[in-house]
Every structure is written in C-alpha cells, then in structure tokens.
Amino acid sequence: MNKNILIAEKIAHEVKKAGGECYFVGGCVRDKILGNSFDDIDIEVHGIMADTLESILSNIGHKREMGKSFGIWGLDGYSIDIAMPRTEEATGRGHRDFKTYTDPFLGTERAAARRDFTMNAIMENVLTGELVDHFGGISDIKNKIIRHVNDKSFGEDPLRVLRAAGFAARFNFIVCDETRLLCEKMELTTLSRERVFAELTKVLTKSEKPSLFFDILRRCGQLTEWFSEIESLISVTQNPEYHSEGDVYNHTMLVLDISAGLREQAEEPLYFMLSALCHDFGKAVTTKVIDGKIRAFDHENRGIDIADTFLSRLSNEHKLKKYVLNMIKLHMRPNMLVGQNAGKKAYNRLFDEAYSPSDLLLLAKADHLGSLSNMRSLPYEQTEAKLKNALYKYREIMSRPFVSGNDLITAGLNPGKNFSKLLEYAHKLRISGVDKKEALAQTLAYAKEIH
C-alpha cells in the first residue's frame, strides 16, 4: 500500500484516541473516485486543538511546519499535507490576498465549503472510508460536471477560472453554465505569472485534450489577459487546400491535442507541448492573399518574437525559451526536406541546428496530422520513416571520433582569433561525414589559407 496512506492511517488512529477525526480531502479523494492514480495525500484533522495535533505528529515522525499560521504541517519522507479545518476571507484582489482562520471544531460542511469545486469538496474518513459529500460532488463526477461550491468564495479567487478550464481539460468534463457565467465576470489581471504557468503546465502535461482549456477560456472571454497570442489566431484564415479544419486557432488546437498523444516520447514533454501551442503564432501577422491563394510566408521566423513575448509573460526560464523558439523556427523543415527529396547533408544540418532533433520530428508529425486535409491524404508513415532513418544516420555520424580543440593544439596551432573559425570548419566536416583523420588534414590546410 502507498506509504502516504499508511502514515495517514497511523495519524488518524492517534487523532481518534485524542477525540478527533481525520479525513482525506481534495484531489486524492476525487482521483480515487475517478479511478486515477495519485501520489500526494491531503488530510484534514477535526476535533482536536493544534497543540495536540503537533504533539501527535512529533511522536510519529519529523514534523515540518508548512504554514503554521494556516494550520498546515508535513512529515519528512512523506508526500502528505496535514491541515486543520479553516475558512478564508479575501482581503484584496490578488490570489495571495487572503486571511485564513483555523478552527478545529468548524465542522465538515463549513470546512468543505471553502473548496473550489464540488468534486474537490468530497471528504473521506481515513479510518472508516465513509464519504462525506455535502455539495453533490460524487454526482457531478459521475455526470462529468465542473461546478463551483460557493458563489462568493469562488468569485474572490480569479485563479479558479483557470482551474475550472484546466480540470475540464484534464478530465474531459464540462463546466456548468452557472460556473461559466461566474468565470466570465472575473478579473485575471491580479494573478501572478507563476500561478498561471503552474496551471498551464498541468494542462499541457496531464490532459488528453488540452484544447478544451483554451476553448473554455475562449467561451468565457478570458483569453485576452494571459493568452492574447492564441486569441489572435482566431479567424486567421488558411489555405483550405491544405487546412480544411479552418482557421489557425482550430489548426493549433488540433496540433496541441495530437501532441498530447506524443508527449511521452518527447525528451522535454512540457517544452514540446509549448512548442505545439506556439508553432504558428507568426501566421497572425504574415497571412495574406497572394495571387488568389492564402499564404503565410516566413511565419516560422516572424513567430519567434511573438512567442518570446508570450513565454516571457509566463516564465523567465532560459532553457524553455531556447527550446521553444528553436522548435518554432525549424518546425516546417523536416517535412519540407522529405518533400524535396533532400540529401544527407541537408538533414544533418537541420538536426545539428535543432535543440532536440527527435522532439522536432514529433512536432513535424503533429503539425502534419493537425491538418484535416493531410489526415485524409497519404499516410504519414513513409515520411516519418524517412525522417527517423535520417536522424539515425546523423546520430551515427555524430558518435564517431571528431576533431577537437585539443587536436588542433596538438597539431601545433595556438588558440587565437581564428580558432573558433577553425573549429566551426571542422564541425561542418564532421556533420558531412568526413572521418577524423581527413577532417584534421583539411582543417589544418584551411588554417594555412586563413593565416
């Protein structure tokens, strides 16, 4: 059995001796009912004072205070949050602007009333397994409905707009009309980028259909504040000969959902999904009708700055931006090379430029399959086989011995202004498949030419 559940049961037995009760709460209860796996455990302890609970936890393990003023503790070595029942009161407009009150005798209904959605307000007695469902969460799970618990508290936390859309995407649920109407009225400007990016990360890494997240925000009129670049893709037309799915927004959502089915193969799943989301941003500023046909020339390059702005709004992680911007720049080239029947050197130059060549091929596949016209045409398997074979040959070449800076120094060259130029020249010979001995000879000859 999960060690976190076992420690929860141990705590519950001691709490019971002291006159209280322990309940599993939140996501672990919801996921259990859904039949999904879960690791983290949240328990809520009713009926005993905080000092008594702290004493129990200290006797069981090494207690960590995760927010004593909020009534939350943890135990070293376990993924478990132990909390006192509490209520929250908004004191400002931001997600962090809340005053919290703990009360061990609050009762299960008032404690559950602070939860965001009915499916997250279900409680399970740790020792008996009895479910306590004051707000109809079990029924809503059965009917695949996202429904808020309380009008007032829900409206005080704008993050819940993103959580509603995120849960709908992760579980393929619908947001009920009452909750959607509340979401339409809420202001998202006060949210921190860290919280927005955390919700987006969950959607992109855990959803089978992450498009639902954006579709719900679109319906609620809530794309503008944080996802304006995605909103800009709406109604941007595409050549129906290649994109019978409609505008660039529809294409992007298809690519995103197809990418979700490929992300486990990716070296960087989150970055890969962000690349799928951003890959056609440039079409919003390049799409024109030329000679009677809809074109978006150079959209892969024009989209780099747009995506940079989008990603900077959400994160300052350099590696993430380097990966995604590289993928946007290169996303069309794999399939183009196959169509041009390109040679080995062209593929090797592409793979050498790619941050993650294998992930680039996954994005090229998703981009192709994200066009309904392409899906109805010839199967992609032949193109994919050619690309994988080219990547295999590139990696075989890159595994061979190659000319390094030490080789040049050993040959009598001194590091200087031309040294990097010589290493670049040697690298070009390497990706062309020239063996090390010949590459060294050619590099030394080139050194004499530029001396």
Side-chain angles (χ1 to χ4, degrees), residues 112-217:
R114 74 175 185 85
R115 301 283 172 177
D116 49 7
F117 305 108
T118 59
M119 66 179 185
N120 294 331
I122 308 165
M123 309 170 74
E124 179 186 344
N125 189 294
V126 173
L127 296 181
T128 68
E130 177 190 2
L131 293 175
V132 180
D133 181 18
H134 294 291
F135 301 103
I138 296 173
S139 175
D140 283 342
I141 288 175
K142 180 180 179 181
N143 293 303
K144 298 188 174 184
I145 294 173
I146 307 288
R147 189 190 311 277
H148 66 283
V149 171
N150 180 281
D151 285 4
K152 182 176 183 298
S153 62
F154 186 87
E156 290 173 345
D157 185 356
L159 186 68
R160 290 177 170 177
V161 175
L162 302 184
R163 285 173 63 81
F167 282 130
R170 285 171 58 188
F171 303 131
N172 199 18
F173 282 17
I174 62 170
V175 178
C176 73
D177 289 342
E178 312 93 88
T179 300
R180 179 179 54 79
L181 289 171
L182 273 180
C183 289
E184 290 176 2
K185 300 173 184 176
M186 293 167 69
E187 178 63 60
L188 306 189
T189 56
T190 58
L191 290 174
S192 70
R193 69 177 184 176
E194 291 81 9
R195 297 310 300 267
V196 174
F197 189 57
E199 292 303 317
L200 179 61
T201 297
K202 293 174 189 174
V203 169
L204 295 180
T205 58
K206 296 183 178 181
S207 303
E208 290 186 10
K209 289 194 67 175
S211 63
L212 290 175
F213 175 77
F214 297 102
D215 287 345
I216 289 167
L217 292 182

Side-chain angles (χ1 to χ4, degrees), residues 303-319:
I304 292 173
D305 287 343
I306 300 172
D308 192 8
T309 299
F310 171 71
L311 295 171
S312 296
R313 187 182 308 128
L314 296 169
S315 173
N316 60 4
E317 187 180 341
H318 176 72
K319 180 182 174 184

Side-chain angles (χ1 to χ4, degrees), residues 272 331 334-335 359-369 380 387:
F272 168 68
H331 78 271
N335 293 335
D359 286 7
L360 177 63
L361 297 193
L362 291 176
L363 180 59
K365 179 178 182 177
D367 191 24
H368 177 90
L369 296 179
Y380 189 69
L387 290 169

Side-chain angles (χ1 to χ4, degrees), residues 301-363:
N301 291 311
R302 293 288 299 279
I304 292 173
D305 287 343
I306 300 172
D308 192 8
T309 299
F310 171 71
L311 295 171
S312 296
R313 187 182 308 128
L314 296 169
S315 173
N316 60 4
E317 187 180 341
H318 176 72
K319 180 182 174 184
L320 180 156
K321 288 173 52 170
K322 184 177 179 181
Y323 174 108
V324 174
L325 300 184
N326 177 261
M327 291 276 274
I328 293 170
K329 178 182 178 182
L330 303 179
H331 78 271
M332 295 182 65
R333 283 170 56 185
N335 293 335
M336 287 176 61
L337 290 181
V338 174
Q340 295 165 356
N341 198 25
K344 177 182 68 175
K345 290 183 181 180
Y347 284 112
N348 287 351
R349 286 193 295 269
L350 170 62
F351 295 141
D352 198 58
E353 188 178 350
Y355 189 99
S356 171
S358 58
D359 286 7
L360 177 63
L361 297 193
L362 291 176
L363 180 59

Side-chain angles (χ1 to χ4, degrees), residues 255-425:
V255 172
L256 196 61
D257 289 346
I258 291 166
S259 296
L262 301 173
R263 66 178 171 234
E264 289 187 3
Q265 302 174 45
E267 293 179 342
E268 298 284 355
L270 172 60
Y271 300 173
F272 168 68
M273 293 298 295
L274 284 166
S275 300
L277 180 63
C278 301
H279 80 284
D280 270 352
F281 278 180
K283 286 185 176 179
V285 295
T286 61
T287 299
K288 298 177 181 179
V289 177
I290 301 173
D291 297 329
K293 290 191 175 183
I294 300 169
R295 306 286 191 184
F297 290 128
D298 202 39
H299 74 272
E300 66 273 21
N301 291 311
R302 293 288 299 279
I304 292 173
D305 287 343
I306 300 172
D308 192 8
T309 299
F310 171 71
L311 295 171
S312 296
R313 187 182 308 128
L314 296 169
S315 173
N316 60 4
E317 187 180 341
H318 176 72
K319 180 182 174 184
L320 180 156
K321 288 173 52 170
K322 184 177 179 181
Y323 174 108
V324 174
L325 300 184
N326 177 261
M327 291 276 274
I328 293 170
K329 178 182 178 182
L330 303 179
H331 78 271
M332 295 182 65
R333 283 170 56 185
N335 293 335
M336 287 176 61
L337 290 181
V338 174
Q340 295 165 356
N341 198 25
K344 177 182 68 175
K345 290 183 181 180
Y347 284 112
N348 287 351
R349 286 193 295 269
L350 170 62
F351 295 141
D352 198 58
E353 188 178 350
Y355 189 99
S356 171
S358 58
D359 286 7
L360 177 63
L361 297 193
L362 291 176
L363 180 59
K365 179 178 182 177
D367 191 24
H368 177 90
L369 296 179
S371 163
L372 293 183
S373 300
N374 287 338
M375 289 178 71
R376 297 185 186 117
S377 64
L378 295 174
Y380 189 69
E381 284 82 356
Q382 189 173 354
T383 295
E384 185 174 25
K386 288 182 178 179
L387 290 169
K388 286 184 174 181
N389 184 54
L391 179 55
Y392 174 82
K393 290 179 178 178
Y394 166 76
R395 286 175 168 164
E396 192 279 323
I397 286 173
M398 298 302 285
S399 69
R400 300 173 189 173
F402 62 95
V403 176
S404 68
N406 286 334
D407 292 321
L408 298 182
I409 293 171
T410 301
L413 299 181
N414 295 317
K417 63 178 183 179
N418 289 328
F419 207 71
S420 61
K421 186 182 293 187
L422 293 174
L423 289 174
E424 183 180 340
Y425 181 82

